[in-house]
Amino acid sequence: MNRTFAEYSRLYRHVAMRRDGGIIELRLHTDGGPLVWGAGPHQELGHCFGDVGADRDNKVVILTGSGNTFLRALDNSWVGPMTPEKWDRIHSDGIRLLTALLAIPVPVIGAVNGPATVHAELAVLSDITLAADTAYFQDAPHFRYGTVPGDGVHVVWPALLGPNRARYFLLTAQKIDAVEALHLGVVNEVLPEVDLMDRAWEHARMLAGQHEVALRCTRAALVNDLRRKLADGLGHGLALEGLTAYATWPQK
């Protein structure tokens, strides 16, 4: 049986939720401030997206961060010897994270409220992606620290940037600021940070005015290609990342 909004909205430590008129806002956070990535959010966000997607009272989703950062910090929850058991959990959670996000059956609006250097793909997989003028995008934690960028970024960024730009982006930890991201087609609008959420809700209300069937069928059509690409490449990429994590992740 699916959980109600009253149940799941209080269930997740790293997601603050509010809903109005069928629009649900998911604000990622750690103790009320900018989200710090680690085993906790990596494990729970996929389940959160599943609950949100299963609730037919949700007509539009807004995904954003807290404070002036979308996501750029990591905790030490994975530090220590890599084992098959540890990577098996990371592998499973990593698959669930992105597949559950794209399985949400209604439109998703990403509001990138600041730098997105860890799992930036969570925002740019949205149907409409807005960015504050303070935002920039980067794949900070992977290749420059000796790890394969295989947790979905190897699929998402080539789809957005094209293969050559994406390989450069992933191999060099290139920073792409909000204005360049707009020119490259990664985001759809760049706004002053103070105006970001008002604009996200403006788009959401416009979308929510459409018939539920139109919303769901359009979302299915628009994300089908990305879902197929992730189904083909995500598990393999995470397995390759696990091999290098065994060799290169910090031991203490």
Side-chain angles (χ1 to χ4, degrees):
M1 183 175 179
N2 295 335
R3 296 186 179 98
T4 66
F5 177 77
E7 293 169 334
Y8 66 76
S9 63
R10 298 191 298 267
L11 188 60
Y12 297 103
R13 177 181 174 187
H14 296 92
V15 188
M17 304 186 197
R18 67 180 177 117
R19 186 165 71 182
D20 181 34
I23 300 165
I24 182 169
E25 180 185 294
L26 309 178
R27 181 175 58 82
L28 308 180
H29 72 96
T30 295
D31 298 328
L35 182 64
V36 178
W37 194 254
H42 193 247
Q43 187 273 331
E44 79 172 22
L45 280 185
H47 293 291
C48 173
F49 295 147
D51 279 334
V52 169
D55 186 349
R56 294 190 70 93
D57 289 333
N58 295 325
K59 299 184 70 176
V60 182
V61 177
I62 298 174
L63 179 65
T64 191
S66 296
N68 59 5
T69 299
F70 182 78
L71 179 51
R72 66 174 178 179
L74 291 157
D75 66 22
N76 62 0
S77 55
W78 287 317
V79 172
M82 181 53 63
T83 65
E85 292 76 18
K86 182 188 289 188
W87 194 259
D88 181 58
R89 290 191 295 272
I90 294 172
H91 187 275
S92 297
D93 292 339
I95 290 175
R96 183 185 302 110
L97 174 68
L98 296 188
T99 55
L101 175 58
L102 285 178
I104 292 174
V106 295
V108 177
I109 297 171
V112 187
N113 56 304
T117 66
V118 179
H119 279 290
E121 78 281 358
L122 292 174
V124 299
L125 280 172
S126 301
D127 303 295
I128 295 174
T129 306
L130 313 175
D133 54 11
T134 57
Y136 60 84
F137 302 87
Q138 184 183 29
D139 187 59
H142 286 119
F143 187 74
R144 66 175 176 168
Y145 293 113
T147 305
V148 173
D151 57 358
V153 296
H154 67 301
V155 176
V156 174
W157 287 105
L160 296 176
L161 294 174
N164 284 0
R165 280 194 295 255
R167 285 181 287 187
Y168 181 89
F169 174 77
L170 294 172
L171 288 170
T172 66
Q174 176 191 14
K175 289 183 179 180
I176 298 177
D177 66 32
V179 172
E180 185 178 3
L182 178 65
H183 293 157
L184 291 171
V186 173
V187 305
N188 305 113
E189 298 179 22
V190 175
L191 304 109
E193 185 179 348
V194 68
D195 297 327
L196 180 70
M197 294 312 298
D198 286 344
R199 183 59 169 156
W201 276 84
E202 180 183 353
H203 276 296
R205 292 187 184 99
M206 179 274 292
L207 293 174
Q210 295 289 340
H211 192 282
E212 176 185 355
V213 174
L215 288 172
R216 289 175 170 267
C217 290
T218 301
R219 167 71 169 175
L222 294 180
V223 300
N224 184 61
D225 186 55
L226 279 168
R227 292 181 71 178
R228 184 172 61 247
K229 287 177 178 177
L230 281 170
D232 287 344
L234 182 54
H236 178 245
L238 278 163
L240 294 174
E241 184 174 343
L243 288 175
T244 49
Y246 178 80
T248 65
W249 276 26
Q251 299 299 298
K252 59 182 179 179

